[in-house]
Amino acid sequence: FIQLDGVTKSYRLGEHVVTPLHEVTLEVEKGEFLVLLGPSGSGKSTLLNLIAGIDRPDSGRVVVDGTDITQLSRKKAADWRAETVGYVFQDYSLVPVLTAYENVEIPLWLFSMSRAERHRRVATALEAVGLSDRHGHLPRQLSGGQQQRVAIARAIVADPSVIVADEPTGNLDVDSAGDVLHLLARLRAERGKTLVMVTHDTRAVERGTRALQLDKGQLHAMAEVSR
Amino acid sequence: FIQLDGVTKSYRLGEHVVTPLHEVTLEVEKGEFLVLLGPSGSGKSTLLNLIAGIDRPDSGRVVVDGTDITQLSRKKAADWRAETVGYVFQDYSLVPVLTAYENVEIPLWLFSMSRAERHRRVATALEAVGLSDRHGHLPRQLSGGQQQRVAIARAIVADPSVIVADEPTGNLDVDSAGDVLHLLARLRAERGKTLVMVTHDTRAVERGTRALQLDKGQLHAMAEVSR
Ligand SMILES: Nc1ncnc2c1ncn2[C@@H]1O[C@H](COP(=O)(O)OP(=O)(O)OP(=O)(O)O)[C@@H](O)[C@H]1O
Ligand SMILES: Nc1ncnc2c1ncn2[C@@H]1O[C@H](COP(=O)(O)OP(=O)(O)OP(=O)(O)O)[C@@H](O)[C@H]1O
Ligand SMILES: [Mg+2]
Ligand SMILES: [Mg+2]
């Protein structure tokens, strides 16, 4: 369903070159819950950005549900992403001048649906992350974990077939984190979504169908995920 | 060493009032490692901002090492904070147009020291968090966990007597998180620093001298911290 084929990505800063991904190959089945682990700075966010079509590799291909997204124009890639992918950013990337409600509503603007239907979906998403009573707050009027939960609600509101989550519970207490994992697992089970998650939360690893470790530019299967 | 006396803080948004801290009283001994836990949105960051003098309570007093910081003018409070507190923000609050090195250097500008000495301290702090080879990167050229580590380096570089850390390992893998906890615990042991940390990392709880839970505007001792 998602294939990465010999994908390489480098950054150059003056003379100093960083290559977080070197000839990476990966196959993700439809409906999988893939957990991605690895040291800080190893390239996990870089990899998620390639899967979601937010970034392009220097070489190699990224194919999702038969579409080679590395061949799409910027405009087509953006449309594809809006229809296919829900992304929870590591830094949330909320719009500072919009309320929680308006931030969650943004992905729905691209679809033709009635205002009532849009409202219903935003309200459902906010309720699913426990933030119905914070809908009118701006991001700076929310706690760190509340901002993270708004980002999660925004990622699920348009009912995307692929959810890419970059450390979605990093700022949540044990109970809120458990609720989020339960929500994502339930969406996958009920609606057949494919879930790719970067995390260092061991309980998320336990719920995954498979765990991979990124290290020195390469993906490795994890023989044993108990620590 | 740090006393909060009947501290209350509220926010009002139109007709809706949120009171994360209600008549909170707290005593922290010099050299303690206090761990603060609680649900997302409960008021932990609000409490840390009051302890660090970044914010003022609506009522009540905050006294640190004999100084009632709630009575200081804005200017004096800022000077006091620069000399006394190292703060790791939940969202890092790095300056986007400055490199990792320059971000870590900022707290040292307020002290009269030679350029060589400033350089020595910044280099030591960056090395302590494993980022010597990223000193020239801008925040957007760093991974989430690397940005978090720059924020930690900045909080320790001026050798403050109080370190306030708001979820300092939220975006770090298990090993990097362990290194950071070890670093902070070592600074406290070797240099007698007082450490107040918000976290949901159970290993940080184990290293603390005391753990408190914030819930419904009140602090509670935690009878049992094993989970
Ligand atoms: N400027 C503001 N205006 C209105 N409400 C606010 C404002 N800032 C914070 N709040 C509210 O105050 C409460 C406490 O916020 P705080 O950031 O202290 O929580 P927290 O315990 O740090 O949460 P987290 O664990 O998610 O970081 C939250 O419910 C939040 O919505
Ligand atoms: N624009 C850039 N220019 C130069 N180097 C970059 C840039 N963006 C990222 N890097 C480097 O690429 C590497 C991989 O970054 P990435 O954000 O993918 O790591 P990560 O595994 O997500 O880390 P974390 O767990 O800390 O979030 C890091 O070492 C980082 O310093
Ligand atoms: Mg990352
Ligand atoms: Mg907080």
Side-chain angles (χ1 to χ4, degrees):
Chain A
F1 192 68
I2 298 176
Q3 289 117 23
L4 270 64
D5 201 2
V7 159
T8 296
K9 182 76 185 178
S10 286
Y11 297 106
R12 149 167 262 125
L13 276 194
E15 305 192 4
H16 160 66
V17 178
V18 178
T19 304
L21 303 173
H22 181 67
E23 304 273 327
V24 169
T25 295
L26 170 67
E27 279 238 21
V28 184
E29 304 274 328
K30 186 166 174 18
E32 251 200 276
F33 180 170
L34 178 69
V35 179
L36 184 56
L37 301 149
S40 172
S42 54
K44 306 179 296 295
S45 298
T46 302
L47 184 60
L48 291 195
N49 287 343
L50 295 179
I51 290 172
I54 287 172
D55 196 9
R56 290 166 188 269
D58 300 330
S59 60
R61 298 188 311 153
V62 179
V63 181
V64 181
D65 201 11
T67 304
D68 182 344
I69 64 175
T70 42
Q71 296 303 325
L72 299 176
S73 68
R74 287 228 171 279
K75 168 98 184 53
K76 286 218 183 316
D79 291 343
W80 170 85
R81 188 167 68 246
E83 290 162 21
T84 318
V85 183
Y87 200 115
V88 185
F89 291 88
Q90 190 168 5
D91 68 357
Y92 325 143
S93 294
L94 300 181
V95 178
V97 299
L98 297 182
T99 63
Y101 183 100
E102 292 164 342
N103 265 286
V104 173
E105 196 185 22
I106 287 175
L108 299 182
W109 284 106
L110 300 145
F111 300 92
S112 54
M113 66 177 68
S114 70
R115 186 177 178 183
E117 173 64 9
R118 221 164 41 230
H119 176 80
R120 191 185 68 74
R121 291 199 185 205
V122 172
T124 303
L126 282 173
E127 187 174 354
V129 297
L131 288 176
S132 305
D133 62 352
R134 289 285 183 276
H135 64 267
H137 284 229
L138 295 173
R140 65 176 174 75
Q141 294 168 331
L142 293 171
S143 77
Q146 289 169 342
Q147 292 172 25
Q148 190 158 38
R149 285 184 275 152
V150 172
I152 291 161
R154 182 181 61 187
I156 65 174
V157 75
D159 202 26
S161 55
V162 179
I163 295 178
V164 178
D166 201 346
E167 302 199 29
T169 62
N171 271 300
L172 299 179
D173 58 285
V174 167
D175 294 334
S176 307
D179 292 345
V180 162
L181 289 179
H182 183 75
L183 167 68
L184 293 174
R186 182 169 61 81
L187 287 175
R188 173 183 159 256
E190 288 175 8
R191 309 173 78 109
K193 297 182 185 311
T194 306
L195 202 42
V196 181
M197 180 185 295
V198 166
T199 186
H200 39 264
D201 182 343
T202 43
R203 289 181 311 155
V205 177
E206 287 161 19
R207 282 182 180 260
T209 53
R210 180 164 53 131
L212 297 174
Q213 174 108 0
L214 183 63
D215 209 1
K216 300 193 177 26
Q218 291 285 300
L219 279 172
H220 310 279
M222 292 184 66
E224 193 53 62
V225 271
S226 58
R227 258 192 193 253
Chain B
F1 191 67
I2 298 176
Q3 290 116 24
L4 269 65
D5 202 1
V7 159
T8 295
K9 183 77 185 177
S10 287
Y11 298 106
R12 148 168 263 123
L13 277 193
E15 303 190 6
H16 159 65
V17 179
V18 179
T19 303
L21 303 174
H22 181 67
E23 302 274 328
V24 169
T25 294
L26 170 66
E27 278 237 22
V28 185
E29 306 273 329
K30 186 167 173 21
E32 250 200 278
F33 180 170
L34 179 69
V35 179
L36 184 56
L37 303 150
S40 172
S42 55
K44 306 178 296 297
S45 297
T46 303
L47 183 59
L48 290 196
N49 287 344
L50 294 179
I51 289 171
I54 288 171
D55 196 8
R56 288 167 189 268
D58 300 330
S59 59
R61 296 187 317 154
V62 179
V63 181
V64 181
D65 201 9
T67 304
D68 183 344
I69 65 176
T70 42
Q71 296 303 323
L72 297 176
S73 67
R74 286 227 172 281
K75 168 101 184 52
K76 285 217 182 319
D79 290 345
W80 171 85
R81 188 167 66 247
E83 291 163 19
T84 318
V85 183
Y87 200 114
V88 185
F89 291 88
Q90 190 168 6
D91 68 356
Y92 324 145
S93 293
L94 300 181
V95 178
V97 299
L98 298 182
T99 63
Y101 182 100
E102 291 164 342
N103 265 285
V104 174
E105 195 184 22
I106 288 175
L108 299 182
W109 284 105
L110 299 145
F111 300 91
S112 56
M113 66 176 66
S114 69
R115 186 177 178 184
E117 173 65 8
R118 225 165 38 230
H119 176 81
R120 191 186 68 77
R121 291 198 186 206
V122 172
T124 304
L126 282 172
E127 188 174 352
V129 297
L131 289 178
S132 306
D133 63 351
R134 289 284 183 276
H135 64 267
H137 285 228
L138 295 175
R140 64 177 174 73
Q141 296 168 331
L142 293 170
S143 76
Q146 289 169 340
Q147 292 173 25
Q148 190 158 38
R149 286 184 275 153
V150 172
I152 291 160
R154 183 181 60 187
I156 64 174
V157 74
D159 201 25
S161 54
V162 178
I163 294 178
V164 177
D166 201 345
E167 302 199 29
T169 62
N171 271 299
L172 299 179
D173 59 285
V174 166
D175 294 335
S176 306
D179 292 346
V180 162
L181 288 178
H182 182 74
L183 167 68
L184 294 174
R186 180 169 63 80
L187 287 174
R188 174 185 159 254
E190 289 175 7
R191 308 174 78 110
K193 295 182 187 311
T194 306
L195 201 44
V196 180
M197 180 186 295
V198 166
T199 187
H200 40 263
D201 183 342
T202 42
R203 288 181 313 154
V205 177
E206 287 160 18
R207 284 184 179 257
T209 52
R210 183 166 49 133
L212 297 175
Q213 174 107 359
L214 183 62
D215 209 1
K216 298 191 178 29
Q218 292 283 301
L219 279 172
H220 310 279
M222 291 183 66
E224 194 53 63
V225 272
S226 61
R227 257 193 194 253

